[in-house]
Amino acid sequence: GRMVAGCEVLEVLGRGGMGVVYRARQPGLNREVALKMILAGADGSPWASARFRTEAEAVARLQHPNIVQVFQVAEHDGLPCLLLEYAAGGTLAQKLDGIPWAVRRAAETAEVLARAMDYAHARGVVHRDLKPSNVLLAADGTPKVADFGLAKLVQGGESLTRTGDVLGTASYMAPEQAGGPGKVGPTADVYALGVILYEMLTGRPPFRAESTHQTLRQVIAVEPVSPGRLRPGLSRDLETICLKCLEKRPAKRYASAGHLGDDLRRFLDG
Ligand code: ADP
Ligand code: MG
Ligand code: MG
């Protein structure tokens, strides 16, 4: 395969809003990596490059077993690219194909993700685009949060978000994101964790309409159907945990992803 940033490009792993991700090999280290590149011509705007830098700087702060590690930022044909830890097990989106999971597996996965986000928040990084296609799985199934391209660096430096931009994917967007300008903090990630838990428990996110616009309207104004109505027999405790993440008002959600993780652990041990 062709060489990019010192890596041999092997195959396409995925495409997102900004570019393409390849499986690649670093010959010197004899290891596989994921190579994330901006597609030239598709969106090589300074805005995309700025987001790319944000992504690099955000993940560079983070070293956690459940967060995809960034190895290096490189350049190819004048465009930035990221060398990332390779997650061989695909994405959570692929595992969430409309089929509800075993309750324990759902709660355990949610706890792991909550701990990882709590770690990121403690280091000043809010993800803001948490969703199943951005949760990768290692070869052994370990979940790894990826794609910090919309992350906000809370301490030091300007936020790159221009107010009014609708970023992220509607079904996983917190109401304060869906409504445009508004304070988006760590509890927006708590909301997204609630959507992911809901989807693991019921097979579908709480809000998913015909159009993005309709979905956003529901996210802002419609109360979710209790997960227990879609999954009879579901523990009331777990239902309560899930709905607390999905509160419309950020102040009514868990104050931190850590508190969510603690409640999930209590449920699992209870
Ligand atoms: P975008 O910002 O364009 O959404 P992502 O970082 O989410 O890009 O990557 C797009 C897709 O590429 C992911 O959904 C996943 O399928 C794949 N991918 C990304 N990073 C990795 C990785 N480190 N290991 C394996 N696959 C990856
Ligand atoms: Mg993505
Ligand atoms: Mg992205």
Side-chain angles (χ1 to χ4, degrees):
R2 67 183 173 122
M3 299 296 289
V4 173
C7 299
E8 183 188 5
V9 175
L10 298 173
E11 63 170 328
V12 173
L13 287 170
R15 291 175 202 279
M18 210 159 46
V20 58
V21 181
Y22 299 100
R23 184 167 67 88
R25 174 174 292 277
Q26 276 183 310
L29 297 167
N30 192 31
R31 71 172 171 189
E32 287 187 309
V33 296
L35 181 69
K36 183 172 181 177
M37 303 182 73
I38 294 182
L39 275 185
D43 190 1
S45 64
W47 172 236
S49 294
R51 265 201 252 164
F52 221 70
R53 269 200 302 282
T54 313
E55 176 168 4
E57 288 174 26
V59 264
R61 292 188 189 189
L62 310 175
Q63 274 212 319
H64 188 278
N66 301 108
I67 295 176
V68 166
Q69 211 192 314
V70 62
F71 292 137
Q72 202 185 316
V73 184
E75 227 180 77
H76 184 75
D77 284 347
L79 293 171
C81 52
L82 293 179
L83 266 67
L84 302 161
E85 173 187 3
Y86 170 54
T91 73
L92 188 60
Q94 292 161 346
K95 307 271 174 223
L96 265 176
D97 222 3
I99 304 145
W101 286 15
V103 169
R104 281 198 74 80
R105 181 172 172 227
E108 279 164 4
T109 302
E111 188 202 357
V112 166
L113 296 176
R115 303 281 180 214
M117 292 323 300
D118 194 45
Y119 168 93
H121 295 160
R123 278 146 194 85
V125 177
V126 181
H127 191 291
R128 302 195 303 175
D129 193 20
L130 257 190
K131 57 186 173 185
S133 66
N134 287 338
V135 177
L136 310 181
L137 302 165
D140 68 356
T142 305
K144 307 240 176 195
V145 178
D147 194 2
F148 284 74
L150 298 183
K152 178 175 165 133
L153 305 183
V154 176
Q155 298 143 7
E158 294 261 285
S159 159
L160 282 168
T161 315
R162 302 172 295 187
T163 45
D165 271 7
V166 173
L167 299 168
T169 301
S171 290
Y172 304 92
M173 222 179 267
E176 65 272 21
Q177 286 177 290
K183 278 205 177 147
V184 175
T187 45
D189 289 340
V190 170
Y191 179 91
L193 290 168
V195 176
I196 293 170
L197 175 59
Y198 190 108
E199 193 169 351
M200 291 190 287
L201 293 172
T202 69
R204 65 167 187 81
F207 309 112
R208 187 164 54 196
E210 297 278 299
S211 68
T212 301
H213 180 75
Q214 283 300 319
T215 304
L216 293 174
R217 259 184 28 129
Q218 293 182 2
V219 167
I220 292 165
V222 177
E223 290 304 319
V225 172
S226 285
R229 293 242 324 257
L230 298 168
R231 184 159 186 175
L234 184 71
S235 141
R236 283 296 280 275
D237 286 347
L238 192 53
E239 183 173 74
T240 302
I241 291 171
C242 187
L243 290 173
K244 188 164 176 179
C245 297
L246 297 176
E247 287 282 356
K248 302 292 185 202
R249 289 176 45 200
K252 292 181 80 180
R253 292 177 210 144
Y254 286 99
S256 75
H259 287 105
L260 166 60
D262 292 345
D263 256 13
L264 287 164
R265 182 39 49 195
R266 263 191 288 279
F267 164 75
L268 284 161
D269 289 343

